[in-house]
Amino acid sequence: MKWVAAGLALGLGACSTKSAPAPLTLLLEAPPELVRSLHETRIPPGVVLDATRSGATLIVRVAPPAGRVDLEVPGACPVSVDLGGAAPGSTRRVRLAPWLTAGSERTDVGFDRELTVELTPGCREALAGRVTWRQLEGPQLALSTQKNGFMLVTRTRALAELRAGPLEAGLVPLSPRTRGAYRFEATWSDGRTEKKTEVRFSSAPRASGLPSLAIGQRVLLGGASWRLDDAPPDSHAALEHDATGTWFRADRHGRYLFVDGGERELAVTAGTHSGTPLDCARSDCHVELGSAAAKSPMTTVLARAVRGELEAARADCTLSCHAAGEPGLPDGGFVEVARVFGWVMPREGAASGWDALPRALRRVGGVTCTACHGPGTIPERGTRWTVLRSDVCATCHDAPPRYGHVVAWQRSRMARSDADPRTRSGECARCHTTAGFLAAQGAYRADPAPPADTSFGIACAACHAPHAEHSGSALLREPPLPAGFPDGATEGARASRVCLACHASPRDEAEPRASAGNLLYEIGPLSPEARPPHALPGGCIACHGRSPAGTSTLGEGHDFAARPAACLGCHAGGAPPAPALADRARALLDRAGARPHTSPERAPARALRVRAASEGARRRVLAALLMVAEDPAAGIHNPRYGSRLLDWAERELDGAR
């Protein structure tokens, strides 16, 4: 037996002379789950002239006279074709049968539901073995089997076990982690050989919480006593109720209006990814955003996979997160359109593979507008702010154990930055809310602003720019450095632009509200004496964005915790003890008779009543004390500069007596 690589001619020799009879043609037709296996078809040596793949068919040419031809396709039942007596030039078609069939992926099996998965043998040979099951991904489930393992029986987790807290009113976001997504491996064995197949299912489709839905997408409504008040004229959609809550599935393109028991209205639109016009970037709308998005790694990953620029394992995962649509739903997304065209991801790409795809497939083959904003029309004005929540990004980046970005971020103080209602308005909103931060950077018109009772912290969109100017593959924004940071700032300061926008103050600000960046880079009342000790090339994330050692989960550093292991590169014994600079600064403020103010709650003083040689000196003393007091980690960020500031301020206080 030898391997045949589809697309390469094999064994052409004397049999192909003009006097040789026309070869026999064997067409091996594969169902979708076996198309990629055609690349690995085993054929007997000396019999086949050549083999090429065309779509879902392997075209095998055999030199006559021929007898029985045995072919082996991984994952398929054995193929044995008797070509004895076949006329030269004739064609024989053979339909491949999967060794085991589990059916298509199910995306809506329900929460806290008993589930049966039955494997169907494709041939008699498959009946002679037993099947064992292993869970690969998802919340752990209790498993039992029947019929020699061909039937798996389990029960999905309840939503309350996957998603903490009560359901908020409106559309409930569901990520791969909270939707209950499961992946299993079934291994068939007869004691001599093994064959494996994967089974995937989930309790519900993913949902971003945006009021823009896909037709066929089942969504959960949080809150009480919802009723469907209006729907497209030809719609037969209705609300469904179970132990989890109220569910809705749009069945027609158009607008649906819900009203709850308190007469709160919720309007949503439904459409398909393939049917919604992708003209957001036309010249009179979002042309700059569209141009930036076209170069985003999120937009181009699938094209690179089809061209063969990614390894096969990584290419497979692009279909659910780097293309529009939800696999398993009739939503006009990439997977559904690919099914219509009979296309499957090639195991080995070609440079022209992407450009050769039908235009209808390429237009949904990336993270385009509808992938994040939804396939319905533009949301109504009062709900457009919902795109700023982390739930939009969570539909892909909240998928442990591979993607831990959202889980880590939820542990951070950034996720709770606007929990205090006082931080959601005025000057505080600039750094405590996502909408306020983006508005301050000129990246968002906060009109209308999120409701006053809404809190979702500093979410992904604040730091990452999926369709605007950004830095590198992480899509980090590049806001201007605070006033007073030199144009030739260190590499670390430039890398920390998005952090310094909130965690630093302009050099001449008399009452700095945030000062970690100032201490770190020695931007303050006293000029620097030497290179700051922690002005590292990676900037803030050199210490605060690192994932724990040994983890394979991406995004674990999004809790922004400074881990002791990060210190070992410079400090062999770990982080040195931190001087209590912030406590000393607060003591000096008390000694000087500073008046505390109330918002934000940790800020120690509004004004400093101290006699000094001049008003300018008084302002500089206040700035020095507040700069150290405002940073609880001053003793770690830059103890040398912090101590200099306090020593100088104390001398000024002593001299003013």
Side-chain angles (χ1 to χ4, degrees):
M1 304 289 279
K2 75 182 293 187
W3 292 97
V4 171
L8 298 179
L10 302 178
L12 295 177
C15 296
S16 62
T17 62
K18 293 182 180 180
S19 60
L24 307 173
T25 302
L26 182 60
L27 301 180
L28 227 59
E29 299 174 341
E33 62 266 37
L34 291 177
V35 171
R36 294 184 65 189
S37 296
L38 292 176
H39 288 279
E40 300 175 0
T41 301
R42 292 178 181 272
I43 63 172
V47 175
V48 173
L49 293 174
D50 59 49
T52 58
R53 203 197 95 181
S54 175
T57 301
L58 186 67
I59 305 170
V60 181
R61 296 200 309 152
V62 182
R68 183 169 297 278
V69 177
D70 296 319
L71 304 174
E72 182 181 337
V73 180
C77 290
V79 176
S80 183
V81 183
D82 187 1
L83 296 178
S90 62
T91 299
R92 183 78 57 85
R93 293 178 179 272
V94 177
R95 181 69 175 175
L96 291 175
W99 188 266
L100 295 173
T101 301
S104 59
E105 179 178 350
R106 288 181 278 180
T107 62
D108 193 9
V109 302
F111 291 98
D112 196 19
R113 294 286 183 85
E114 186 173 284
L115 177 68
T116 299
V117 179
E118 187 163 5
L119 300 177
T120 303
C123 45
R124 289 195 303 270
E125 293 87 345
L127 290 169
R130 296 181 62 88
V131 177
T132 56
W133 293 82
R134 180 168 69 103
Q135 184 171 350
L136 302 178
E137 292 179 4
Q140 198 63 38
L141 301 181
L143 311 179
S144 63
T145 58
Q146 301 174 14
K147 299 181 180 179
N148 283 341
F150 283 83
M151 179 182 289
L152 171 71
V153 181
T154 187
R155 189 175 193 87
T156 60
R157 293 287 192 93
L159 179 60
E161 298 179 70
L162 307 176
R163 188 182 186 280
L167 301 180
E168 61 269 29
L171 296 172
V172 177
L174 292 174
S175 67
R177 175 176 59 89
T178 59
R179 73 187 284 210
Y182 306 93
R183 182 165 70 100
F184 289 85
E185 180 184 74
T187 301
W188 177 96
S189 175
D190 62 356
R192 299 184 302 276
T193 59
E194 289 186 349
K195 296 182 181 292
K196 299 180 184 294
T197 189
E198 285 194 1
V199 175
R200 297 172 183 261
F201 57 87
S202 56
S203 293
R206 294 177 295 179
S208 66
L210 300 181
S212 180
L213 309 179
I215 293 174
Q217 177 187 7
R218 189 168 179 249
V219 293
L220 178 62
L221 296 175
S225 305
W226 288 102
R227 69 177 187 271
L228 181 58
D229 208 51
D230 192 22
D234 54 348
S235 172
H236 300 286
L239 296 177
E240 305 171 9
H241 306 276
D242 63 15
T244 302
T246 301
W247 295 87
F248 172 74
R249 191 195 314 267
D251 63 347
R252 293 290 187 274
H253 185 284
R255 181 179 185 269
Y256 298 81
L257 180 66
F258 306 97
V259 180
D260 70 3
E263 298 305 307
R264 178 189 310 202
E265 292 187 348
L266 171 64
V268 303
T269 57
T272 60
H273 295 280
S274 57
T276 299
L278 295 180
D279 60 350
C280 305
R282 60 191 179 193
S283 60
D284 56 343
C285 287
H286 305 295
V287 60
E288 293 181 358
L289 300 183
S291 176
K295 298 178 288 187
S296 165
M298 295 196 303
T299 304
T300 59
V301 165
L302 180 59
R304 289 162 48 208
V306 174
R307 293 186 179 115
E309 298 172 14
L310 300 180
E311 58 189 69
R314 294 181 62 196
D316 284 337
C317 76
T318 61
L319 296 180
S320 61
C321 277
H322 286 279
E326 177 82 76
L329 290 184
D331 59 3
F334 185 86
V335 172
E336 188 196 16
V337 176
R339 179 184 57 79
V340 172
F341 282 100
W343 181 90
V344 295
M345 177 73 74
R347 187 175 296 275
E348 298 173 1
S352 61
W354 177 255
D355 298 328
L357 291 181
R359 181 179 181 276
L361 193 52
R362 281 185 282 119
R363 76 184 295 274
V364 290
V367 184
T368 56
C369 309
T370 63
C372 292
H373 293 270
T377 56
I378 297 174
E380 296 186 4
R381 184 178 179 84
T383 60
R384 293 178 191 172
W385 62 268
T386 54
V387 76
L388 301 180
R389 299 184 302 189
S390 64
D391 304 305
V392 176
C393 303
T395 56
C396 286
H397 292 279
D398 187 20
R402 180 168 178 78
Y403 297 109
H405 303 76
V406 174
V407 172
W409 171 79
Q410 288 174 342
R411 297 194 302 263
S412 75
R413 294 175 62 182
M414 294 179 69
R416 304 181 298 278
S417 62
D418 59 355
D420 185 335
R422 294 173 297 179
T423 63
R424 301 179 207 145
S425 60
E427 183 65 19
C428 298
R430 183 179 70 85
C431 284
H432 283 265
T433 70
T434 301
F437 176 84
L438 293 176
Q441 301 302 324
Y444 176 71
R445 290 186 303 175
D447 179 27
D453 61 349
T454 301
S455 168
F456 54 89
I458 294 295
C460 315
C463 299
H464 299 277
H467 45 39
E469 290 303 318
H470 56 261
S471 172
S473 59
L475 306 181
L476 283 174
R477 294 187 185 275
E478 291 190 322
L481 289 167
F485 279 71
D487 293 337
T490 66
E491 178 186 347
R494 292 193 298 271
S496 300
R497 285 174 181 266
V498 72
C499 307
L500 296 177
C502 283
H503 293 279
S505 296
R507 177 193 291 272
D508 295 330
E509 189 172 67
E511 301 177 15
R513 298 292 186 90
S515 57
N518 299 73
L519 286 173
L520 192 64
Y521 297 107
E522 301 189 359
I523 307 295
L526 301 182
S527 60
E529 287 186 341
R531 183 180 184 275
H534 289 136
L536 304 174
C540 302
I541 61 172
C543 296
H544 287 273
R546 289 189 175 184
S547 296
T551 183
S552 59
T553 299
L554 300 176
E556 277 286 271
H558 274 64
D559 59 1
F560 306 109
R563 296 177 174 84
C567 306
L568 296 177
C570 299
H571 305 282
L581 294 183
D583 290 341
R584 182 185 170 197
R586 283 189 286 270
L588 287 172
L589 284 167
D590 291 339
R591 171 182 158 190
R595 287 190 296 110
H597 63 75
T598 57
S599 179
E601 59 190 33
R602 255 187 29 255
R606 274 288 190 186
L608 183 64
R609 297 195 301 271
V610 57
R611 295 183 302 276
S614 66
E615 178 64 23
R618 181 166 58 229
R619 290 169 59 87
R620 292 177 67 205
V621 169
L622 173 62
L625 294 178
L626 288 179
M627 185 175 294
V628 180
E630 284 286 345
D631 183 8
I636 296 175
H637 286 148
N638 197 337
R640 182 184 64 201
Y641 189 62
S643 296
R644 284 184 61 215
L645 289 172
L646 296 185
D647 291 344
W648 172 80
E650 188 167 18
R651 288 194 300 271
E652 290 291 317
L653 289 174
D654 291 339
R657 289 185 172 181

